[in-house]
Amino acid sequence: HHNIQELAVTQQELQIDLAGLTEHCLNTTQPRIINSIRQSLNRQFLGQYVIQMNSAQVDTLTPYLPGGTPSLLIGNTIARLEPTGRGGDAQGRWSYLSFRRKHLPPLTIYTAYKVNKNPTNQIRITAWHQQRLQLNAQQRHGEHPREAFTTDLIESILYHKSQHHHIIVGGDFNDTLFTNQ
């Protein structure tokens, strides 16, 4: 959580309202983790920040859990946050914040993390392994975690589009868009 505090200070110094990050590697299902982060941020930014952190729903003995996506909002822009304008994915693949805008539709900003094509480590419980386990629990055995990510993210975006939101998506997609041929 100290890294998030340092990030928040730097974010404020650079006058960045919203930072979307990937792979925070914290198990946000543990209340002590979230409480520690909030206490740390409250010391300097009380009432002036919103953090939306998502990680997989996996029990761990330590705070460490690969993957995850936080969105950190600092400053006056928090006043534009929609009342129900924060959320994300139960597998930690994305988080989002939705904002009210004057004379314009709401704006929803996604921070996304798409795992590699293959696990980066065969022994530990990587984000890839976590997603595979959660997909199996949903009876989605034949779906690759990357395909499921795309399908599920599009579904979430289409929901916000059906609510007439404008959308911005950023993140780590572990892909190359263009290759030299």
Side-chain angles (χ1 to χ4, degrees):
H1 71 272
H2 297 294
N3 291 338
I4 292 175
Q5 173 68 24
E6 291 172 22
L7 168 74
V9 169
T10 302
Q11 183 176 332
Q12 184 182 46
E13 288 171 356
L14 295 173
Q15 299 179 348
I16 297 169
D17 291 343
L18 176 63
L21 308 165
T22 60
E23 296 189 82
H24 58 64
C25 296
L26 294 170
N27 188 341
T28 61
T29 63
Q30 294 181 0
R32 65 186 172 101
I33 301 300
I34 294 297
N35 290 338
S36 176
I37 290 167
R38 286 191 177 127
Q39 287 173 359
S40 178
L41 290 170
N42 281 343
R43 282 194 280 280
Q44 186 154 356
F45 302 102
L46 184 63
Q48 289 295 305
Y49 79 92
V50 169
I51 189 163
Q52 176 64 42
M53 296 182 75
N54 290 78
S55 65
Q57 309 295 305
V58 178
D59 289 331
T60 60
L61 298 175
T62 68
Y64 179 77
L65 182 65
T69 54
S71 297
L72 178 59
L73 181 64
I74 294 177
N76 294 333
T77 308
I78 65 171
R80 293 198 170 272
L81 194 63
E82 289 274 339
T84 58
R86 47 191 293 191
D89 175 57
Q91 294 185 38
R93 300 173 296 179
W94 64 80
S95 60
Y96 67 82
L97 296 173
S98 298
F99 300 93
R100 292 183 303 272
R101 301 185 298 166
K102 191 173 185 176
H103 306 300
L104 291 169
L107 173 66
T108 297
I109 301 175
Y110 283 84
T111 300
Y113 171 63
K114 186 177 188 179
V115 296
N116 289 309
K117 290 178 181 153
N118 299 303
T120 55
N121 181 327
Q122 294 299 325
I123 299 169
R124 297 182 50 134
I125 186 79
T126 65
W128 191 99
H129 289 105
Q130 295 167 44
Q131 290 177 26
R132 175 74 271 143
L133 290 170
Q134 290 182 342
L135 289 169
N136 288 347
Q138 297 170 9
Q139 305 303 312
R140 295 169 73 179
H141 302 285
E143 255 182 299
H144 190 281
R146 291 171 59 81
E147 293 168 6
F149 165 90
T150 301
T151 299
D152 297 345
L153 180 59
I154 288 171
E155 182 180 312
S156 183
I157 290 169
L158 289 175
Y159 167 76
H160 283 107
K161 292 285 288 177
S162 76
Q163 304 299 305
H164 309 289
H165 289 217
H166 288 169
I167 307 293
I168 295 174
V169 179
D172 178 356
F173 297 93
N174 283 306
D175 262 323
T176 303
L177 295 178
F178 306 101
T179 59
N180 294 333
Q181 297 182 357

